[in-house]
């Protein structure tokens, strides 16, 4: 198993970037060079807005449909779209109607976490190619089903970890592979974000225009609350995965990529809510450790929500530790190295200019990541994807394992091959969920 995991990570390190190695491109798509790709965006409240703008920047790509359970958001989005682009866009509340639409070629998914995997599976079954926001899954079992669906239906599925499209980050991974800081034995992921109290809005009637049953989808249906719709579902277990499963997926992905590992065999996690007595369920502060004793490597991960220090001037990023020095990735598109006991500055790099903002612009931003996705769609060649579906399963899975260790309150042993815990039926219950009727993730995709 170790060899296959390491082989996969090495392949994803070089796919499509052109920094470490040029990809092999085999044109096998039904799309011609001048054929337009019609896209639908599922979920338009937050990151969906970025999906719309990034897709509309690409040549011969058109956002044809906006989809969201909230018709109020859809009408606002339609008005904004018409004003910005001078063209009409179709509206759908039910994503199933999108999958039935033969004119839609690709879907991009920016809905809440609990919808991600099932949306990907349904899209693959309908013959659509998919871009899915992080985390790819809400739990480990459905992440595996998502990988199986992409393979079975031969679909292109890109995971929204846009730092994989950054030339600078690819260059940094190349340095790690080449031994620039020596044998790399530890990675540290940092998620220090300013997260305020969300209070407690209680329950209330479902506002007109929101299909709350559809919003809930596969998850447990709780009474409607403004503490869920539209953003703060992140901090409730049935829908979100806390910040390690939100912002943190970029960093869990990079920890695994840089260390050249898959899922760990031993996990522990501690944390809690120390600041506010609000409606959040997930921990505000979380410290997780993922151990790879067979490979003599370890991952540390820190989530902090409020006043804190920086580490190497980084608040969101990664630090890699080697026998000769450390390599620091700041955000999505820049890195530095410090060598030896005296911490002498070594090689560094960034994507430069406007691209240095990372999140949305430039080679390493959302638009660049979408460009890589669309190129793979046109060529029907998943080998050139920078963030293939396996990264969605693995990077999300690492976050899920930390959350499970936190919720069980003990050190857990995990079998990466079986993707189950070792003789621990209680921990295994967190690997999947009870799906609502009509929204089941199928065992056989």
């Amino acid at each position: 198993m170790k060899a296959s995991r390491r082989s996969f990570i090495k392949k994803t390190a070089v796919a499509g970037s052109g920094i470490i190695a040029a990809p092999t491109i085999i044109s096998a798509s039904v799309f011609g060079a001048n054929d337009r790709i019609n896209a639908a965006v599922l979920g338009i409240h937050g990151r969906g807005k970025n999906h719309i703008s990034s897709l509309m920047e690409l040549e011969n790509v058109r956002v044809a449909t906006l989809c969201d359970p909230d018709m109020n958001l859809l009408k606002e989005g339609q008005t904004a779209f018409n004003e910005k682009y001078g063209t009409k866009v179709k509206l759908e509340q039910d994503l199933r109607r999108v999958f039935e639409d033969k004119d839609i070629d690709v879907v991009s998914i920016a809905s809440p976490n609990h919808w991600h995997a099932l949306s990907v599976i349904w899209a693959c079954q309908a013959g659509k190619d998919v871009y899915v926001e992080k985390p790819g899954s809400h739990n480990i079992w459905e992440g595996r089903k998502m990988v199986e669906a992409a393979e079975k239906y031969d679909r292109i599925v890109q995971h929204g970890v846009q730092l994989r499209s950054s030339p600078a980050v690819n260059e940094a991974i190349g340095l790690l592979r080449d031994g620039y800081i020596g044998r790399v034995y530890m990675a540290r992921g940092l998620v220090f974000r300013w997260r305020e109290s969300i209070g407690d809005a209680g329950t209330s009637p479902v506002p007109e225009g929101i299909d709350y049953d559809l919003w809930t989808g596969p998850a447990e249906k709780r009474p409607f609350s403004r503490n869920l719709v539209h953003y703060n579902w992140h901090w409730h277990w049935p829908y979100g995965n806390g910040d390690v499963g939100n912002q943190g997926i970029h960093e869990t992905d990079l920890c695994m990529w840089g260390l050249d590992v898959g899922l760990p065999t031993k996990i522990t996690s501690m944390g809690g809510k120390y600041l506010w007595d609000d409606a959040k369920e997930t921990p505000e502060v979380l410290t997780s450790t993922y151990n790879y004793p067979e490979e003599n490597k370890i991952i540390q991960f820190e989530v902090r929500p409020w006043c804190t220090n920086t580490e190497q001037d980084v608040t969101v990023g990664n630090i890699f530790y080697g026998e000769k020095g450390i390599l620091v990735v700041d955000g999505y598109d820049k890195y530095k190295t410090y060598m030896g006991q005296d911490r002498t500055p070594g090689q560094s790099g960034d994507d430069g200019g406007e691209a240095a903002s990372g999140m949305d612009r430039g080679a390493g931003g959302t638009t660049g990541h979408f460009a890589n996705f669309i190129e793979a769609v046109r060529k029907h060649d998943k080998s050139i994807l920078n963030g293939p579906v396996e990264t969605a399963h693995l990077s999300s899975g690492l976050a899920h394992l930390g959350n499970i260790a936190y919720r069980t309150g003990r050190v857990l042993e995990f079998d990466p091959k079986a993707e189950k815990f070792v003789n621990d039926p209680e921990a295994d219950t967190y690997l999947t969920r009870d799906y609502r009727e009509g929204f089941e993730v199928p065992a056989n995709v």
Side-chain angles (χ1 to χ4, degrees):
M1 183 60 188
K2 185 191 302 183
S4 64
R5 291 204 313 270
R6 292 171 67 88
S7 175
F8 162 70
I9 297 294
K10 286 177 180 177
K11 288 177 182 177
T12 61
V14 303
S17 69
I19 296 297
I20 299 174
T24 300
I25 297 176
I26 302 173
S27 181
S29 175
V30 296
F31 295 103
N34 298 313
D35 288 340
R36 184 171 67 185
I37 292 179
N38 290 323
V41 178
L42 313 184
I44 65 168
H45 177 257
R47 284 293 289 163
K49 293 183 175 67
N50 304 98
H51 287 209
I52 294 166
S53 60
S54 290
L55 285 164
M56 290 296 288
E57 284 189 41
L58 301 177
E59 184 178 0
N60 260 342
V61 178
R62 178 179 73 105
V63 174
T65 302
L66 305 181
C67 180
D68 198 286
D70 188 343
M71 183 55 71
N72 306 301
L73 287 179
L74 285 176
K75 290 179 178 178
E76 293 172 6
Q78 185 180 53
T79 299
F81 189 93
N82 292 347
E83 290 176 352
K84 183 173 182 178
Y85 300 110
T87 184
K88 293 182 179 181
V89 65
K90 185 177 179 181
L91 305 182
E92 289 283 3
Q93 275 188 290
D94 193 330
L95 72 171
R96 290 167 292 196
R97 305 291 83 79
V98 174
F99 299 141
E100 293 170 358
D101 188 343
K102 301 300 183 183
D103 291 331
I104 296 298
D105 304 304
V106 304
V107 296
S108 71
I109 299 168
S111 52
N113 297 2
H114 65 278
W115 257 115
H116 286 184
L118 184 57
S119 300
V120 170
I121 292 166
W122 281 354
C124 290
Q125 291 173 335
K128 315 297 185 188
D129 295 317
V130 189
Y131 182 108
V132 60
E133 266 298 334
K134 43 75 188 168
S137 67
H138 186 262
N139 62 62
I140 288 177
W141 180 81
E142 69 183 22
R144 173 55 61 191
K145 297 298 147 184
M146 182 174 62
V147 174
E148 291 174 2
E151 180 67 24
K152 178 177 180 178
Y153 298 101
D154 190 25
R155 302 324 309 164
I156 304 298
V157 179
Q158 174 96 304
H159 187 211
V161 281
Q162 62 266 22
L163 53 75
R164 280 185 174 256
S165 289
S166 162
V169 173
N170 274 268
E171 183 175 280
I173 296 296
L175 292 180
L176 296 178
R177 295 287 188 273
D178 292 341
Y180 184 76
I181 63 170
R183 190 184 71 83
V184 184
Y185 60 90
M186 184 169 81
R188 183 161 167 77
L190 312 176
V191 177
F192 305 162
R193 295 292 299 271
W194 196 259
R195 302 295 190 190
E196 299 177 318
S197 169
I198 66 170
D200 189 345
T203 62
S204 59
V206 179
E208 185 177 352
I210 297 179
D211 187 334
Y212 185 55
D213 188 72
L214 190 57
W215 183 93
T216 303
E220 166 193 338
K221 191 173 184 180
R222 293 181 173 181
F224 181 87
S225 174
R226 285 298 185 187
N227 281 131
L228 298 178
V229 182
H230 279 290
Y231 185 79
N232 287 325
W233 52 263
H234 278 294
W235 325 125
H236 297 267
W237 291 120
Y239 318 103
N241 306 94
D243 230 351
V244 68
N246 179 35
Q247 171 65 53
I249 299 300
H250 297 288
E251 285 66 53
T252 56
D253 181 61
L254 189 52
C255 282
M256 299 170 80
W257 187 18
L259 274 193
D260 196 14
V261 296
L263 294 175
T265 57
K266 189 169 288 188
I267 310 101
T268 186
S269 189
M270 283 188 175
K273 292 180 61 184
Y274 303 108
L275 289 165
W276 297 288
D277 182 19
D278 63 4
K280 293 192 202 83
E281 296 173 353
T282 60
E284 298 161 345
V285 175
L286 190 67
T287 301
S288 303
T289 302
Y290 307 90
N291 199 12
Y292 300 80
E294 304 89 349
E295 301 176 70
N296 204 26
K297 295 180 181 181
I298 193 167
I299 293 174
Q300 297 178 346
F301 208 96
E302 291 276 359
V303 172
R304 302 178 194 168
W306 203 239
C307 305
T308 187
N309 61 303
T310 65
E311 296 188 22
Q312 298 301 137
D313 296 323
V314 173
T315 57
V316 173
N318 298 71
I319 305 175
F320 294 95
Y321 299 80
E323 58 187 340
K324 296 180 182 178
I326 64 172
L327 185 149
V328 181
V329 176
D330 184 357
Y332 303 86
D333 57 11
K334 46 186 170 290
Y335 76 91
K336 294 181 180 179
T337 58
Y338 301 90
M339 309 303 292
Q341 185 175 11
D342 294 333
R343 299 173 42 75
T344 304
Q347 187 167 333
S348 63
D350 63 61
D351 289 348
E354 292 184 4
S357 64
M359 188 66 171
D360 296 311
R361 301 291 303 180
T366 302
T367 301
H369 205 47
F370 266 107
N372 170 250
F373 167 62
I374 292 298
E375 180 188 5
V377 168
R378 289 194 184 280
K379 296 178 172 66
H380 196 71
D381 185 0
K382 62 185 177 182
S383 74
I384 65 174
L385 284 171
N386 290 343
V389 65
E390 291 86 355
T391 70
H393 174 49
L394 292 175
S395 59
S396 304
L398 194 71
H400 300 329
L401 289 173
N403 279 334
I404 295 169
Y406 165 78
R407 297 179 79 178
T408 58
R410 60 179 184 272
V411 178
L412 301 177
E413 292 188 23
F414 187 71
D415 180 348
K417 185 173 182 179
E419 295 189 347
K420 289 187 176 182
F421 293 98
V422 178
N423 299 321
D424 197 333
E426 180 195 359
D428 280 343
T429 63
Y430 290 99
L431 294 174
T432 185
R433 73 183 315 156
D434 293 326
Y435 293 94
R436 289 204 307 141
E437 185 176 356
F439 301 97
E440 300 94 345
V441 170
N444 297 310
V445 297

